[in-house]
Amino acid sequence: MDIVEDIKTKVSDKLETSTTTSSIGKTAGIILILLLVIIGIVGFIWDDEPDLFDINENTTMLLQKNDVHKVTGSTTAATLLKLIDVLLHKRGGYLTNDIMPPGILMDNVPNWEFGVLVQVRDMARTLRNNLSRSQSQSTEDVALVSTENQFYFDNDSWILPATESEYRKGMDSLQDYLIRLGDKDSPDAQFYARADNLGIWLSEVETRLGSLSQRLSASVGKHQLNTALAGDSAATQSTESAQSSHMKTPWMELDDVFYEARGTTWALIHLLRAVEVDFQEVLQKKNALISLQHIIRELEPAQDTLWSPVILNGSGLGIMANHSLVMGSHISRANAAIIDLRRLLEEG
């Protein structure tokens, strides 16, 4: 009898252990599923592109907050400040350097962030080197030197130091420039709204948009001739390259390029609107104001709502849409208008 009871006890213990293990497994599975659902929901909420903002309202708010007057250049500096502020404090915050889900699993918004960041860097560099200096031999504005350096910090550093903390330092120095710009007792801070200065920045924009246009149009694959030395019979290059090449964006990178273009055009619309305010007299004198407004109109459709859950990549004239080609079309037209505007500024 003792043997039978002992066997029964062992069997009962095994059943209890099995039941406990099964219960733990089910609980762990439920918790894992809940975590995945929460991560998915949060990722869906964070996967959002900020709306366009009013540059005039933003400028007025910043100037009133710092108790300074509006002068030439205030709108451009205030708009640049707002761009980086949105980059850091939009829904979900800054995602490019995230190492935890859902941020690390997302790529659309980080590529959008990079597109904005490139335009911020280009304007910060132009502010430092051209817009704030009367001539090439003049002294750089110390605050703008810091601003440019901070915005060129690695965009994916998550610690020691974090990207956000370095960009906030850049915002602080840019805000210092904005305050001194509107202070009559600080004549060292200047913004020179000249046609040549505007042309320099537009040249940067033209280069960026030209590259983006090529990358977007390569979504369906294209043969491209080598025109690197065209127009100059004495031109040379370091190494020989093929006379033609086949360009095609990898399938996994289609949405990356598309969202980088969305971020680029979002930032450019604001900066161009700011330039329209600060360079208004120059543009009117050159009869080029309508040309700048045309560029903005060409870029605005690039911010239309994307109704498709994925970036479609249909062939050029195929049945399915190709979102990259549509985006590239808007950017190419805007780029052509920028070339015309630069010519007006130089010759008008």
Side-chain angles (χ1 to χ4, degrees), residues 54-62:
D54 189 305
I55 61 161
N56 294 311
E57 287 183 4
N58 172 66
T59 302
T60 300
M61 181 188 68
L62 282 177

PDB file of all heavy atoms in Angstrom, residues 54-62:
ATOM      1  N   ASP A  54       2.508  77.917 -39.575  1.00  0.00           N
ATOM      2  CA  ASP A  54       2.503  79.293 -40.068  1.00  0.00           C
ATOM      3  C   ASP A  54       3.797  79.981 -39.636  1.00  0.00           C
ATOM      4  O   ASP A  54       4.027  80.181 -38.439  1.00  0.00           O
ATOM      5  CB  ASP A  54       1.287  80.043 -39.518  1.00  0.00           C
ATOM      6  CG  ASP A  54       1.096  81.402 -40.170  1.00  0.00           C
ATOM      7  OD1 ASP A  54       2.048  82.214 -40.145  1.00  0.00           O
ATOM      8  OD2 ASP A  54      -0.009  81.672 -40.687  1.00  0.00           O
ATOM      9  N   ILE A  55       4.627  80.355 -40.592  1.00  0.00           N
ATOM     10  CA  ILE A  55       5.928  80.934 -40.243  1.00  0.00           C
ATOM     11  C   ILE A  55       5.782  82.313 -39.597  1.00  0.00           C
ATOM     12  O   ILE A  55       6.588  82.690 -38.736  1.00  0.00           O
ATOM     13  CB  ILE A  55       6.838  81.031 -41.484  1.00  0.00           C
ATOM     14  CG1 ILE A  55       6.205  81.935 -42.540  1.00  0.00           C
ATOM     15  CG2 ILE A  55       7.140  79.673 -42.056  1.00  0.00           C
ATOM     16  CD1 ILE A  55       7.202  82.445 -43.564  1.00  0.00           C
ATOM     17  N   ASN A  56       4.773  83.067 -39.988  1.00  0.00           N
ATOM     18  CA  ASN A  56       4.589  84.409 -39.426  1.00  0.00           C
ATOM     19  C   ASN A  56       4.130  84.343 -37.974  1.00  0.00           C
ATOM     20  O   ASN A  56       4.631  85.089 -37.122  1.00  0.00           O
ATOM     21  CB  ASN A  56       3.591  85.206 -40.266  1.00  0.00           C
ATOM     22  CG  ASN A  56       4.126  85.507 -41.665  1.00  0.00           C
ATOM     23  OD1 ASN A  56       5.248  85.981 -41.821  1.00  0.00           O
ATOM     24  ND2 ASN A  56       3.339  85.219 -42.679  1.00  0.00           N
ATOM     25  N   GLU A  57       3.204  83.435 -37.685  1.00  0.00           N
ATOM     26  CA  GLU A  57       2.765  83.254 -36.295  1.00  0.00           C
ATOM     27  C   GLU A  57       3.916  82.770 -35.430  1.00  0.00           C
ATOM     28  O   GLU A  57       4.089  83.226 -34.286  1.00  0.00           O
ATOM     29  CB  GLU A  57       1.614  82.252 -36.234  1.00  0.00           C
ATOM     30  CG  GLU A  57       0.291  82.785 -36.769  1.00  0.00           C
ATOM     31  CD  GLU A  57      -0.823  81.773 -36.611  1.00  0.00           C
ATOM     32  OE1 GLU A  57      -0.566  80.689 -36.014  1.00  0.00           O
ATOM     33  OE2 GLU A  57      -1.938  82.044 -37.092  1.00  0.00           O
ATOM     34  N   ASN A  58       4.706  81.845 -35.962  1.00  0.00           N
ATOM     35  CA  ASN A  58       5.852  81.319 -35.213  1.00  0.00           C
ATOM     36  C   ASN A  58       6.858  82.424 -34.919  1.00  0.00           C
ATOM     37  O   ASN A  58       7.377  82.530 -33.792  1.00  0.00           O
ATOM     38  CB  ASN A  58       6.518  80.206 -36.014  1.00  0.00           C
ATOM     39  CG  ASN A  58       7.812  79.738 -35.401  1.00  0.00           C
ATOM     40  OD1 ASN A  58       7.847  79.164 -34.321  1.00  0.00           O
ATOM     41  ND2 ASN A  58       8.917  79.996 -36.086  1.00  0.00           N
ATOM     42  N   THR A  59       7.149  83.273 -35.913  1.00  0.00           N
ATOM     43  CA  THR A  59       8.106  84.360 -35.720  1.00  0.00           C
ATOM     44  C   THR A  59       7.607  85.353 -34.685  1.00  0.00           C
ATOM     45  O   THR A  59       8.353  85.762 -33.782  1.00  0.00           O
ATOM     46  CB  THR A  59       8.358  85.096 -37.057  1.00  0.00           C
ATOM     47  OG1 THR A  59       8.833  84.155 -38.022  1.00  0.00           O
ATOM     48  CG2 THR A  59       9.369  86.207 -36.877  1.00  0.00           C
ATOM     49  N   THR A  60       6.339  85.733 -34.797  1.00  0.00           N
ATOM     50  CA  THR A  60       5.761  86.680 -33.838  1.00  0.00           C
ATOM     51  C   THR A  60       5.820  86.129 -32.420  1.00  0.00           C
ATOM     52  O   THR A  60       6.183  86.843 -31.473  1.00  0.00           O
ATOM     53  CB  THR A  60       4.299  86.985 -34.208  1.00  0.00           C
ATOM     54  OG1 THR A  60       4.253  87.550 -35.521  1.00  0.00           O
ATOM     55  CG2 THR A  60       3.690  87.970 -33.221  1.00  0.00           C
ATOM     56  N   MET A  61       5.503  84.848 -32.254  1.00  0.00           N
ATOM     57  CA  MET A  61       5.510  84.227 -30.930  1.00  0.00           C
ATOM     58  C   MET A  61       6.915  84.218 -30.331  1.00  0.00           C
ATOM     59  O   MET A  61       7.107  84.570 -29.161  1.00  0.00           O
ATOM     60  CB  MET A  61       4.969  82.797 -31.018  1.00  0.00           C
ATOM     61  CG  MET A  61       4.922  82.067 -29.689  1.00  0.00           C
ATOM     62  SD  MET A  61       4.505  80.322 -29.893  1.00  0.00           S
ATOM     63  CE  MET A  61       5.976  79.719 -30.721  1.00  0.00           C
ATOM     64  N   LEU A  62       7.914  83.842 -31.122  1.00  0.00           N
ATOM     65  CA  LEU A  62       9.287  83.771 -30.621  1.00  0.00           C
ATOM     66  C   LEU A  62       9.823  85.153 -30.267  1.00  0.00           C
ATOM     67  O   LEU A  62      10.515  85.328 -29.252  1.00  0.00           O
ATOM     68  CB  LEU A  62      10.190  83.110 -31.657  1.00  0.00           C
ATOM     69  CG  LEU A  62      10.106  81.586 -31.766  1.00  0.00           C
ATOM     70  CD1 LEU A  62      10.994  81.076 -32.892  1.00  0.00           C
ATOM     71  CD2 LEU A  62      10.513  80.928 -30.457  1.00  0.00           C
TER      72      LEU A  62
END
